[in-house]
Amino acid sequence: MGFLAADPVIIRKALIAVDNVSYLTNFSQAGCGPWDPKKDAQEQYDYVVVGGGSAGCVLATRLAEDPNVKVLILEAGYSDDVPSSKIPSVFPFKFDTDADWGFRTVPQEHANSRVMMQPRGKAIGGTSTLNAMMYHRGPASDYDEWGQLGNPGWSYKECLPYFKKSEGFNDPELSPNHPQGPSTQRLRKPKYETHDPKYHGTEGPWQVTFHHLYGVSEGFIEASIAEGVPFNKDFNGESTLGVNRVQTFIDRHAVRSSLSRAFLKQEGVVPGGGKRGTIRVVYGATISRVLVHTRKGVKVAYGAEFVDHSHVTRRVMAVREVLLCGGTFGSPHILLASGIGPAPQPLIPHIHTLPGVGANLADHLGLSLMFKARHRCATISGDFSATQFSKTLLQYAFRGSGAMSSQVAEAVNFVRLEDIAPEFVAREKANGTWQDRSSGPGSPHLEIIFAPAYSRKHSTILAPDMCNYFHMVALLMNPCSAGTVKVTATQTAARTKTSTRLGEGSNRIQVETIVDPNYFSDPFDIRVMGEAVKFMRKLGKRLHDHPDFGGIEVFPGEATVPTGDDRALETYAREYAETYYHPTSTCRMGPATDSLAVVDARLNVHGIERLRVVDASVMPKLPAAHTCAPTVMIAERCADMIREDWGDSEVAVAKL
């Protein structure tokens, strides 16, 4: 077992094997499973939710709080009730497995023509099943900006109740006997477990807690403070600027609180109890297109076409609405494959022109530095080494603590360039090249993430030996570069079988997603990344001087990439920057006067009735946040909008 821990390939294979055993026991659960042609074809559903990711789980659950409602979720993946989705620290080993869509970018022209990984969750719960579990909403001014862009109802004041609605914040001061108190034996760090109660909800199903914190992560917090970064009591409170540990969506048992695990429960999902509607989750359903027809001159969505787990093409109808929750890559793909987009696509019948479908792709690009710590400095790298792994495994299994309970990215700081690099800002302004896409002085330009582990290239490269390591990653929070999601369609031999049932059709067109983030297309971004490296090295020097932690940069190393050589810093960024998993805005929200808006402020697709997009793709602008929490908020907000729009159930159905 110790040897397994030393090799990321072997770890991944071991986790897949364990997960496969788990799949055998939960392939079909109550209300969940592959398409059953005998039963499912006879059902009628009020809402068809296309995609069972983070937003889809929340949206379906909230709509089903109405006992008269039936909801169908079509999910391409399968259950997330497997060990690799439960144990917090092993999430990187889910990348490039069957639980990951495995997207790749086109060669990035401004990043040395690299083809780059874009991990996205392919399971019920979506990317909340394989991300780093960081619960961070972003600054209030980012949401105020959404409203100012022509989207009434989306200011921070209006969004905050929906952030709190989903959240089940576990106050660290609660006793173990309390229903929301800790049930593990983790070591508390009260100095860094601060929060502002008025910004948090405690009754929601999505569990938010503090979990493992290594001593060297505390050292990063103190090093940041020594460099002038203020301590922040609560990143999700009054301000997001400053430094502290991370709030996580890990539950009180040290298990990932994915959105499927939090929301898709068979009991107790209706506040106050009472009856609920029906949710049917179909696994293995690959979406082909949204079905749209024209009625009295109006385009109306009425269902979805998909290929089931047996490669049979099926169609399902929605009595009320089709709700597209495919994510930032999936939702524009499905719209484009349905003939909804900027222009006609070869082999795809064009039914509706919307220039913004697939445009405005934004993401948080990150660049890391690796450091070797002192021998006595505990880190995940050391605890996952061949000599320590068995102890680490037992510690998690029996105490719910230790390295496996860490979500790896344990501490962060959010900073503005004028505070950490005033000379750079002055120089850019003097040259007329300064750009500030932040929403205001309370919105950060950079996030520096601290992780007590060695991890490069999405954890495909781990520690080279059994020593202790840590690393820092700088994220561009308001990038100037923007990209696209497009599709290509090809005629293929008919692999799918066509059901002969009335109302079900066939699809022999293969549609591929083309992801082009266009990283570093704006040269300002790469200059900012150079300043971020300089700042991380200042923090590294602070840790180097600490008697317990130390820290010598081993990759890339200052000899290889000198701090004073801007050209070398630029070269390093182009070769080694990677996504940090926050793509947004490819179906952005905006008024009809916005030529690139895809949905309105109630998330209705412009020009097509009974079709909404509900996921991170609708964000008008990438927030300076970890995007899982904002995505959940969007789903909570939209669920109320849908119920408001339909009003009384019986009256609404009678109008159809």
Side-chain angles (χ1 to χ4, degrees):
M1 178 64 76
F3 172 72
L4 296 182
D7 189 328
V9 175
I10 296 177
I11 294 175
R12 184 173 285 106
K13 289 181 177 179
L15 284 169
I16 290 172
V18 174
D19 285 355
N20 286 340
V21 173
S22 297
Y23 280 131
L24 295 176
T25 64
N26 59 32
F27 187 68
S28 291
Q29 300 167 310
C32 304
W35 179 264
D36 183 338
K38 293 182 179 180
K39 295 181 180 179
D40 289 325
Q42 311 304 319
E43 293 288 343
Q44 285 190 324
Y45 294 94
D46 298 290
Y47 302 102
V48 174
V49 176
V50 179
S54 300
C57 290
V58 176
L59 187 63
T61 297
R62 293 305 190 192
L63 292 174
E65 289 176 357
D66 181 343
N68 298 313
V69 160
K70 287 187 175 182
V71 182
L72 174 68
I73 300 177
L74 299 174
E75 168 54 41
Y78 291 84
S79 172
D80 80 323
D81 192 19
V82 294
S84 67
S85 179
K86 294 179 178 179
I87 302 170
S89 66
V90 301
F91 69 89
F93 303 113
K94 292 180 72 69
F95 300 162
D96 268 354
T97 68
D98 288 343
D100 175 13
W101 279 97
F103 291 112
R104 295 292 191 275
T105 69
V106 300
Q108 292 298 283
E109 177 183 356
H110 307 285
N112 290 357
S113 297
R114 287 186 294 141
V115 173
M116 298 164 72
M117 288 174 61
Q118 299 282 302
R120 308 309 296 160
K122 188 180 181 182
I124 193 69
T127 303
S128 76
T129 69
L130 53 65
N131 63 12
M133 297 151 282
M134 301 173 77
Y135 184 80
H136 178 241
R137 303 168 183 169
S141 58
D142 281 15
Y143 301 97
D144 291 337
E145 187 178 31
W146 288 10
Q148 293 160 8
L149 290 170
N151 300 294
W154 293 95
S155 70
Y156 179 71
K157 182 179 179 180
E158 292 163 302
C159 291
L160 180 58
Y162 291 96
F163 278 118
K164 295 169 68 174
K165 182 178 181 180
S166 61
E167 184 187 12
F169 185 83
N170 288 210
D171 188 333
E173 297 296 333
L174 294 174
S175 73
N177 297 325
H178 191 281
Q180 290 181 312
S183 67
T184 67
Q185 298 179 45
R186 77 175 182 91
L187 179 64
R188 283 206 54 203
K189 305 288 181 71
K191 180 178 179 180
Y192 307 108
E193 295 177 2
T194 53
H195 69 287
D196 191 336
K198 68 175 176 287
Y199 290 97
H200 291 275
T202 58
E203 302 302 320
W206 197 21
Q207 299 302 293
V208 176
T209 63
F210 295 107
H211 261 281
H212 194 75
L213 187 72
Y214 277 92
V216 68
S217 299
E218 297 179 65
F220 168 80
I221 296 173
E222 297 304 323
S224 297
I225 293 171
E227 279 296 323
V229 180
F231 179 77
N232 188 322
K233 176 182 179 180
D234 187 344
F235 287 131
N236 296 306
E238 184 175 349
S239 171
T240 203
L241 296 175
V243 63
N244 202 346
R245 68 180 304 174
V246 174
Q247 295 171 12
T248 69
F249 47 95
I250 299 173
D251 70 19
R252 60 192 293 265
H253 306 292
V255 172
R256 171 191 293 270
S257 185
S258 69
L259 273 308
S260 54
R261 200 165 290 123
F263 276 84
L264 287 181
K265 301 174 183 176
Q266 297 304 307
E267 298 178 359
V269 297
V270 180
K275 295 182 178 180
R276 56 165 290 169
T278 299
I279 299 176
R280 166 72 168 114
V281 180
V282 174
Y283 292 147
T286 302
I287 307 302
S288 302
R289 59 185 174 127
V290 174
L291 301 172
V292 178
H293 61 197
T294 301
R295 188 165 58 187
K296 297 181 180 180
V298 178
K299 295 170 185 175
V300 181
Y302 65 92
E305 184 176 274
F306 67 97
V307 177
D308 71 9
H309 69 295
S310 298
H311 308 297
V312 178
T313 299
R314 309 283 184 183
R315 285 185 174 183
V316 291
M317 311 304 167
V319 174
R320 295 186 182 179
E321 294 190 32
V322 178
L323 305 170
L324 189 51
C325 302
T328 296
F329 300 154
S331 287
H333 170 109
I334 294 168
L335 289 175
L336 292 166
S338 305
I340 302 167
Q345 301 271 345
L347 302 177
I348 300 173
H350 189 71
I351 63 172
H352 187 63
T353 300
L354 272 178
V357 175
N360 311 302
L361 173 61
D363 189 14
H364 289 147
L365 195 62
L367 185 63
S368 60
L369 302 177
M370 303 292 134
F371 296 83
K372 188 173 185 177
R374 299 191 194 283
H375 179 72
R376 59 179 173 273
C377 175
T379 66
I380 293 174
S381 292
D383 288 343
F384 267 63
S385 68
T387 59
Q388 295 295 315
F389 187 72
S390 296
K391 176 182 176 182
T392 298
L393 183 62
L394 292 172
Q395 190 175 17
Y396 180 75
F398 292 101
R399 301 182 65 185
S401 61
M404 283 188 150
S405 69
S406 169
Q407 41 61 261
V408 183
E410 293 188 342
V412 302
N413 67 47
F414 293 97
V415 294
R416 288 183 61 83
L417 286 165
E418 58 263 34
D419 296 325
I420 66 162
E423 293 180 356
F424 168 77
V425 174
R427 184 169 65 249
E428 291 286 329
K429 288 182 176 179
N431 293 337
T433 53
W434 168 252
Q435 297 186 64
D436 188 353
R437 296 194 73 249
S438 70
S439 60
S443 183
H445 295 128
L446 291 168
E447 175 185 10
I448 309 299
I449 298 174
F450 182 87
Y454 189 109
S455 174
R456 291 171 47 210
K457 293 187 176 181
H458 308 283
S459 292
T460 59
I461 301 175
L462 298 181
D465 51 38
M466 292 187 290
C467 295
N468 289 298
Y469 293 87
F470 59 82
H471 73 272
M472 300 180 215
V473 187
L475 271 60
L476 292 175
M477 300 308 282
N478 291 279
C480 298
S481 305
T484 59
V485 172
K486 299 180 180 179
V487 299
T488 58
T490 55
Q491 193 83 36
T492 63
R495 183 187 179 197
T496 60
K497 296 175 282 186
T498 304
S499 171
T500 57
R501 286 187 177 275
L502 182 65
E504 298 182 345
S506 64
N507 178 21
R508 299 164 189 255
I509 304 298
Q510 184 72 32
V511 183
E512 181 183 358
T513 311
I514 307 298
V515 178
D516 182 8
N518 207 16
Y519 293 132
F520 292 138
S521 57
D522 191 308
F524 182 74
D525 287 344
I526 203 157
R527 294 198 299 275
V528 173
M529 201 65 100
E531 295 304 311
V533 170
K534 295 174 185 178
F535 180 59
M536 288 191 290
R537 283 176 167 167
K538 290 181 180 180
L539 299 174
K541 286 180 170 59
R542 295 273 183 184
L543 286 167
H544 174 267
D545 295 338
H546 194 284
D548 293 326
F549 309 138
I552 299 174
E553 185 183 323
V554 293
F555 189 86
E558 291 196 55
T560 304
V561 182
T563 299
D565 188 337
D566 288 342
R567 182 64 62 86
L569 291 169
E570 176 180 319
T571 299
Y572 176 61
R574 293 192 192 281
E575 183 60 33
Y576 290 102
E578 298 284 356
T579 177
Y580 274 79
Y581 324 119
H582 300 153
T584 70
S585 307
T586 51
C587 297
R588 86 176 181 204
M589 184 195 322
T593 53
D594 178 353
S595 63
L596 293 181
V598 176
V599 299
D600 64 19
R602 299 185 78 78
L603 308 192
N604 299 291
V605 172
H606 286 296
I608 300 181
E609 292 192 356
R610 297 182 188 168
L611 176 62
R612 301 189 206 226
V613 182
V614 191
D615 55 38
S617 72
V618 306
M619 296 181 188
K621 182 184 170 187
L622 173 65
H626 289 256
T627 50
C628 196
T631 299
V632 172
M633 178 275 293
I634 287 168
E636 291 274 25
R637 183 86 177 89
C638 188
D640 273 4
M641 289 176 173
I642 292 169
R643 290 187 291 202
E644 290 168 5
D645 290 349
W646 284 94
D648 181 82
S649 301
E650 295 182 3
V651 173
V653 173
K655 290 180 179 179
L656 296 180

